[in-house]
Amino acid sequence: MYTTELQKTASLGATEDPERLAAFEARVAADEFIEPKDWMPEAYRRTLTRQISQHAHSEIVGMLPEGNWIGRAPSLRRKAILLAKVQDEAGHGLYLYSAAETLGTSREEMIEALHSGKAKYSTIFNYPTLTWADIGAIGWLVDGAAIMNQVPLQRTSYGPYARAMVRVCKEESFHQRQGYEIMMVLAAGTPDQKRMAQDALNRWWWPSLMMFGPPDADSPNTAQSMRWRIKRETNDELRQKFVDITVPQADALGLSVPDPALRWDKARGHYDYGEIDWEEFYAVVRGEGPVAKERIAARRQAWEDGAWVRDAAAAHARKHGRREAA
Amino acid sequence: MASLPPIDLPSNATGAGAFDAPAGVEGNPLFEYLLRLGDDSLVLGQRLSEWCGHAPSVEVDLSLANMALDLIGQATLFLDYAGEVEGKGRDGDSLAFHRDVLDFRCCWLVEQPNGDFARTMARQCLFSTWQHLLFGRLAGSADERIAAIAAKAVKEVAYHRELASEWVIRLGDGTEESRRRMADGLDWTWRFVAELFEMDPLAGFMAEKGIGTDLAAFRADYDAAVRAVIEQATLPPPPDQRPILGGRRGHHSEHLGHLLATMQFLPRTYPDARW
């Protein structure tokens, strides 16, 4: 899963040493990786910490809508695949928290920021999973959008983030295929199954397009992030790529994309698509998504209910002088 | 230190009433035996997967999902084979999703709700220690398919046993709160241990054929292993409790029906669909 950069990028302070800043920018421009012990501008550190931790939070919160269907997966094979997939998301969360920690913020601080509502996560996970087809649609559309976002991040300027993305991308591409395969079976199935599949596409289409973030015109920090190679393509470029790839996939399934304005523009060589409801997007960013309260409540409860376990593991490790194994 | 519950169950169990009276060897014993093996793994895998996204830390979440995956994999192998042995065109999925409580053959221990993390780990330690010893023996089963499945699964279960034992130790010898919870977890699950070792006529028949194994033969190893973990956890050994039996004959806890209602809902609601 991927989270768009949802908060304002800190502006570059005037306090940075101009010589070091110039040397840093030259390295970035030469496509060198910046490593944890290297000098970096504070604004770069803050922006990356925020982006990577939001990405990590999205992986962890993203386990909930899919986890909702593990117990009800309709076959043993589907159950095993979904368990493995959600487990991959947990693994992604883990490497991303570790990558963010190399920038100097602890995992506990990041989790605290998530639970207090200070840190954001991808808006997409604030929508509910109602039927089994939602598991297909999430794999196909949400992981499909994630791949579109994450492939360029394998070349992002911060080394630990870029390397984490290499592994994440491989796994996401498996997730996307398993999602599409679920949709293929449903779309070719009974009328009830086909109805589930179409309804899932109807509900997940627009939120998936919103995953790429606000239009470029309303994304004033894109230029700085591109300059620092934290970001490598703009929101609108990635969104267009996603639409162009996904529409023919929907056609192949025999499902209709819920956008009356959708049409192939021969001159541009791209699909034109309708207006995205940005009011909805900003409302969900503010925490007003249909199941936003449930998601955060579930994360807080897991964390609070687990406190005694983490405390016990730490106490045991102290008593026995061993490294904490929890 | 008190010993684990006595295992001379036939004298204990027979005459105890219709609920837990042992069944004779009827029908297709290999099929019945495979259901016992497969249903234990399936139901415990289903239970563990309920933790997914809700565990005390990301690392713990990953480890619980790992165990659930192994167990679902074992269940698939055992139940697919059960379907073949039965010869009525059923496969693992039809057995998992289209049987009701009376036809399930899992033990009571695996049906128990997760409770808190301590109870989940008590259940896992008591079960995985048993399953590890069992599969070690079934790897030499006269039935090649069972031997092959057990030989693969015994490696997975060695890890489950180790992980759960370490948690029992860590929680027992952690904080005051974790110690109290761990003791409660063991107290809750202790009455279900005897069923793991129940040698009813079917288990005896399979052991004689060399397909199954004499469960009593590794009871002492089991008791010693569990006792060592509880000692290392600095916990007092749980007092003996009256054994609760019946799962192997379809007489289960109330919890199993709810677990099945969740697990089976889609295939039962849409019986004509393929997924």
Side-chain angles (χ1 to χ4, degrees):
Chain A
M1 305 298 163
Y2 174 74
T3 176
T4 45
E5 223 275 300
L6 295 169
Q7 288 161 334
K8 297 281 181 212
T9 303
S11 59
L12 186 55
T15 51
E16 302 289 5
D17 174 346
E19 265 177 47
R20 289 180 118 176
L21 184 60
F24 169 86
E25 296 208 329
R27 285 185 65 196
V28 170
D31 273 336
E32 278 182 45
F33 282 130
I34 303 302
E35 296 299 338
K37 287 184 178 159
D38 295 346
W39 184 88
M40 61 188 83
E42 268 315 297
Y44 177 87
R45 185 185 299 278
R46 278 200 302 275
T47 303
L48 266 173
T49 302
R50 192 164 52 229
Q51 181 170 332
I52 302 173
S53 67
Q54 283 179 6
H55 192 164
H57 297 326
S58 301
E59 300 284 354
I60 298 300
V61 177
M63 294 169 72
L64 298 170
E66 292 184 287
N68 183 36
W69 279 91
I70 293 173
R72 293 178 290 168
S75 70
L76 295 171
R77 174 173 168 266
R78 293 288 182 204
K79 190 186 290 292
I81 292 173
L82 185 57
L83 252 170
K85 177 183 191 284
V86 180
Q87 192 187 28
D88 284 348
E89 312 295 3
H92 299 172
L94 204 53
Y95 340 125
L96 288 162
Y97 281 129
S98 304
E101 281 187 308
T102 63
L103 292 159
T105 306
S106 73
R107 202 204 301 187
E108 285 66 26
E109 289 173 274
M110 291 184 261
I111 289 173
E112 174 49 39
L114 171 69
H115 293 176
S116 70
K118 199 175 139 218
K120 304 292 181 194
Y121 56 91
S122 184
T123 49
I124 196 87
F125 303 118
N126 291 319
Y127 293 88
T129 49
L130 302 185
T131 72
W132 174 250
D134 290 27
I135 299 306
I138 287 180
W140 172 35
L141 301 173
V142 176
D143 294 325
I147 293 167
M148 209 60 78
N149 263 319
Q150 287 168 181
V151 164
L153 290 176
Q154 295 177 88
R155 294 179 297 119
T156 194
S157 59
Y158 189 57
Y161 193 27
R163 288 188 288 273
M165 281 305 106
V166 172
R167 176 153 176 195
V168 168
C169 282
K170 281 185 193 152
E171 293 179 345
E172 293 294 357
S173 108
F174 154 75
H175 297 172
Q176 203 258 353
R177 285 200 300 272
Q178 70 84 34
Y180 193 70
E181 196 228 336
I182 290 176
M183 296 304 278
M184 280 168 64
V185 171
L186 296 177
T190 65
D192 283 327
Q193 287 176 303
K194 194 158 181 175
R195 176 180 169 220
M196 280 179 208
Q198 182 62 57
D199 189 72
L201 174 56
N202 294 349
R203 282 180 290 113
W204 291 96
W205 175 255
W206 291 108
S208 298
L209 295 193
M210 293 174 196
M211 281 177 72
F212 296 93
D216 294 347
D218 298 328
S219 186
N221 304 307
T222 292
Q224 179 64 70
S225 284
M226 300 267 287
R227 179 179 159 92
W228 278 344
R229 309 221 166 162
I230 292 171
K231 208 164 169 173
R232 309 216 45 151
E233 287 176 75
T234 71
N235 297 351
D236 286 333
E237 284 166 2
L238 290 166
R239 189 167 14 245
Q240 182 70 58
K241 261 193 191 174
F242 175 77
V243 171
D244 290 348
I245 285 180
T246 309
V247 170
Q249 293 173 346
D251 292 344
L253 291 171
L255 299 177
S256 344
V257 173
D259 178 0
L262 188 76
R263 63 178 185 86
W264 177 251
D265 182 332
K266 208 171 161 188
R268 283 203 311 130
H270 291 293
Y271 282 94
D272 294 336
Y273 53 91
E275 193 63 32
I276 292 172
D277 182 353
W278 292 111
E279 288 309 311
E280 175 179 332
F281 172 75
Y282 288 114
V284 179
V285 170
R286 287 194 304 268
E288 297 167 22
V291 294
K293 285 190 195 300
E294 284 84 347
R295 296 292 185 244
I296 282 297
R299 284 313 314 155
R300 276 194 197 132
Q301 182 162 2
W303 190 247
E304 286 163 15
D305 289 353
W308 69 268
V309 176
R310 297 189 303 275
D311 290 346
H316 182 81
R318 274 196 304 276
K319 281 187 209 178
H320 296 272
R322 283 199 301 265
R323 224 177 113 254
E324 185 178 340
Chain B
M1 167 175 292
S3 65
L4 291 173
I7 56 146
D8 50 336
L9 286 172
S11 63
N12 225 346
T14 47
F19 188 83
D20 56 4
V25 182
E26 289 158 17
N28 184 335
L30 180 56
F31 172 69
E32 284 284 322
Y33 189 67
L34 288 165
L35 292 184
R36 292 181 180 190
L37 297 171
D39 289 348
D40 279 350
S41 295
L42 174 61
V43 171
L44 187 55
Q46 176 76 9
R47 276 288 182 234
L48 283 175
S49 71
E50 293 168 12
W51 273 106
C52 191
H54 306 279
S57 72
V58 187
E59 289 85 347
V60 175
D61 216 303
L62 282 163
S63 67
L64 296 175
N66 253 330
M67 291 196 286
L69 256 179
D70 289 340
L71 289 161
I72 298 299
Q74 293 163 15
T76 307
L77 295 170
F78 282 128
L79 294 178
D80 275 341
Y81 184 30
E84 287 171 39
V85 163
E86 186 194 34
K88 291 183 182 169
R90 295 202 282 184
D91 62 5
D93 282 337
S94 42
L95 289 168
F97 296 99
H98 293 283
R99 278 179 299 152
D100 199 355
V101 164
L102 291 179
D103 292 319
F104 264 76
R105 294 290 176 263
C106 51
C107 59
W108 279 59
L109 181 60
V110 295
E111 302 164 11
Q112 296 306 304
N114 289 335
D116 64 7
F117 184 68
R119 194 190 289 179
T120 293
M121 284 299 112
R123 183 183 68 196
Q124 198 67 41
C125 177
L126 296 178
F127 182 77
S128 296
T129 304
W130 174 79
Q131 203 187 28
H132 183 234
L133 294 167
L134 173 68
F135 284 175
R137 282 161 181 78
L138 292 184
S141 170
D143 183 292
E144 283 179 17
R145 280 279 284 280
I146 291 180
I149 298 168
K152 174 181 182 286
V154 73
K155 296 175 205 151
E156 300 164 349
V157 175
Y159 162 75
H160 305 177
R161 174 183 173 174
E162 189 184 325
L163 183 115
S165 300
E166 284 175 2
W167 271 114
V168 171
I169 293 165
R170 215 176 271 139
L171 297 178
D173 186 19
T175 61
E176 277 306 308
E177 182 178 8
S178 70
R179 179 181 180 78
R180 175 180 57 75
R181 287 175 181 267
M182 197 62 242
D184 288 350
L186 286 167
D187 177 67
W188 183 272
T189 44
W190 203 244
R191 60 206 147 124
F192 308 121
V193 170
E195 188 183 28
L196 302 174
F197 289 95
E198 183 187 16
M199 283 302 287
D200 66 356
L202 177 76
F205 177 80
M206 296 312 288
E208 273 169 36
K209 292 270 176 197
I211 296 171
T213 188
D214 179 10
L215 300 170
F218 62 89
R219 179 69 199 242
D221 289 349
Y222 178 88
D223 287 353
V226 169
R227 198 181 306 124
V229 169
I230 291 174
E231 256 172 41
Q232 215 186 323
T234 70
L235 290 170
D240 288 351
Q241 296 182 24
R242 177 177 175 272
I244 306 297
L245 306 171
R248 303 303 187 198
R249 296 172 290 283
H251 292 172
H252 295 277
S253 66
E254 292 173 345
H255 307 297
L256 183 65
H258 295 278
L259 179 145
L260 297 182
T262 300
M263 185 177 82
Q264 298 178 335
F265 132 79
L266 269 178
R268 285 188 179 276
T269 308
Y270 302 100
D272 301 328
R274 294 169 57 82
W275 303 93

